[in-house]
Amino acid sequence: MMLKELNKRVIVVHWKRFASTDIDVFSSLKGFCDSYPAYNYHTLNNYLSKKKIPFENDEIRIERQSLIQKVRRTDLPRVLFWDLDFDKLDWNRNYRTIMERVLDKGSPKDWEEMIRFYGREKVINALKNDITYLSDITMDAVCEYFQLSKEKLRCYTKKQLNQG
């Protein structure tokens, strides 16, 4: 990675007078000044560069902040997701599918990694409310591991409803 990419910063604008729009984020100070011509680019740039503190007046506060570069990734094995594009998985949006797959096909080590990544509470909440299918063997293992009764699992209640 280039050094410039590691030091990427954004302009965060805190509006004091607008209740509906508290904060705006701009990729550059130039972009902010183009959008709000009342603010002079050179004046703000000199202020923010030399003093290294936010510019502030009665209506606005402007500061440079570092862009968070570290992306949270999991160390789950690619083989669990053989039918999906592993590099394009949205780990937050697709948590149900990912958890289902790890619980049903993963090893105890994979379960631990999933819990480390998502947190125990989120996994338990997904088991109770979101995950709609697990095999009977996996349901038994999940109940033992997380100290839950089958009746608390959404996949179990869904299975009972489908039998009738």
Side-chain angles (χ1 to χ4, degrees):
M1 249 191 227
M2 294 174 21
L3 188 61
K4 189 171 185 164
E5 287 179 40
L6 293 173
N7 293 324
K8 185 77 175 160
R9 295 182 298 173
V10 293
I11 300 299
V12 179
V13 180
H14 304 264
W15 297 99
K16 296 178 179 180
R17 60 188 169 134
F18 300 123
S20 62
T21 309
D22 304 334
I23 297 175
D24 278 330
V25 178
F26 292 84
S27 60
S28 68
L29 186 58
K30 182 96 173 99
F32 167 74
C33 292
D34 288 346
S35 298
Y36 297 94
Y39 295 94
N40 183 283
Y41 170 78
H42 297 293
T43 304
L44 289 174
N45 190 43
N46 285 338
Y47 189 91
L48 294 171
S49 297
K50 289 180 182 171
K51 296 194 178 190
K52 305 279 188 211
I53 59 172
F55 169 83
E56 191 165 4
N57 62 23
D58 290 341
E59 64 181 26
I60 199 169
R61 179 181 173 177
I62 302 171
E63 60 186 312
R64 284 190 171 122
Q65 289 188 357
S66 295
L67 191 61
I68 298 170
Q69 292 292 320
K70 188 175 180 183
V71 177
R72 269 186 45 187
R73 294 271 327 243
T74 178
D75 288 331
L76 291 168
R78 288 176 170 273
V79 72
L80 289 176
F81 308 98
W82 71 91
D83 57 337
L84 303 170
D85 188 342
F86 187 82
D87 295 320
K88 292 184 181 176
L89 269 175
D90 185 331
W91 296 96
N92 292 319
R93 182 181 293 159
N94 299 319
Y95 73 93
R96 286 178 217 90
T97 304
I98 292 164
M99 287 181 190
E100 246 177 59
R101 185 73 57 94
V102 172
L103 291 167
D104 224 21
K105 309 263 187 247
S107 68
K109 183 181 172 194
D110 299 333
W111 282 32
E112 290 171 18
E113 173 58 19
M114 174 189 65
I115 292 166
R116 182 203 63 77
F117 183 75
Y118 289 111
R120 187 176 179 87
E121 288 304 311
K122 183 166 182 159
V123 174
I124 290 172
N125 189 46
L127 285 164
K128 289 179 176 179
N129 301 308
D130 300 324
I131 296 175
T132 57
Y133 176 80
L134 292 173
S135 69
D136 291 340
I137 294 170
T138 303
M139 270 192 266
D140 291 336
V142 161
C143 289
E144 185 177 326
Y145 188 91
F146 292 102
Q147 301 294 298
L148 298 169
S149 67
K150 280 187 179 179
E151 292 76 23
K152 297 272 185 192
L153 304 179
R154 177 153 186 223
C155 58
Y156 180 78
T157 56
K158 183 179 179 197
K159 190 174 190 176
Q160 297 305 308
L161 289 172
N162 287 340
Q163 285 180 356

